[in-house]
Amino acid sequence: ITVKSSLTLAASAKGRVGTFTGKVSPAVVGRTVTIYYIKGGKAVAAGSAKVAKGGTYTYSRTFAAPGQKVSFFAQSAADSLNASGRSLTRQITFGR
């Protein structure tokens, strides 16, 4: 039996730097969470973060999207005990 993962995602932008934080449950330290953005209706991986103690993760990156509104979501991969999970989609606008 596998347990479906639950993910939260908070996203913010300061200039062109996007910062993504959240929590995964059940918490498995070292598990990978991938941050995706939507481009042309398709999901594109922006990068990934490792889950820390307490199930939290953080990822930051500079994007070439000044003045643009971009949608993001986080997803965890399945493992031997947990099914994959996906966060709600969050939208942020990058500064110039």
Side-chain angles (χ1 to χ4, degrees):
I1 296 176
T2 58
V3 176
K4 183 165 175 69
S5 297
S6 172
L7 280 83
T8 64
L9 174 67
S12 63
K14 185 170 187 179
R16 294 183 341 169
V17 176
T19 300
F20 309 90
T21 60
K23 193 168 186 176
V24 180
S25 179
V28 178
V29 174
R31 189 171 183 197
T32 300
V33 173
T34 304
I35 308 297
Y36 292 89
Y37 63 92
I38 309 298
K39 183 174 184 178
K42 297 187 184 221
V44 178
S48 61
K50 296 289 186 187
V51 175
K53 186 177 179 181
T56 61
Y57 66 90
T58 301
Y59 176 75
S60 292
R61 182 188 135 177
T62 300
F63 290 86
Q68 293 182 20
K69 196 178 279 191
V70 182
S71 296
F72 293 89
F73 67 90
Q75 187 167 340
S76 64
D79 60 29
S80 61
L81 299 174
N82 302 294
S84 66
R86 180 178 164 159
S87 72
L88 296 175
T89 301
R90 301 288 182 224
Q91 199 171 63
I92 57 176
T93 302
F94 290 96
R96 299 196 183 275

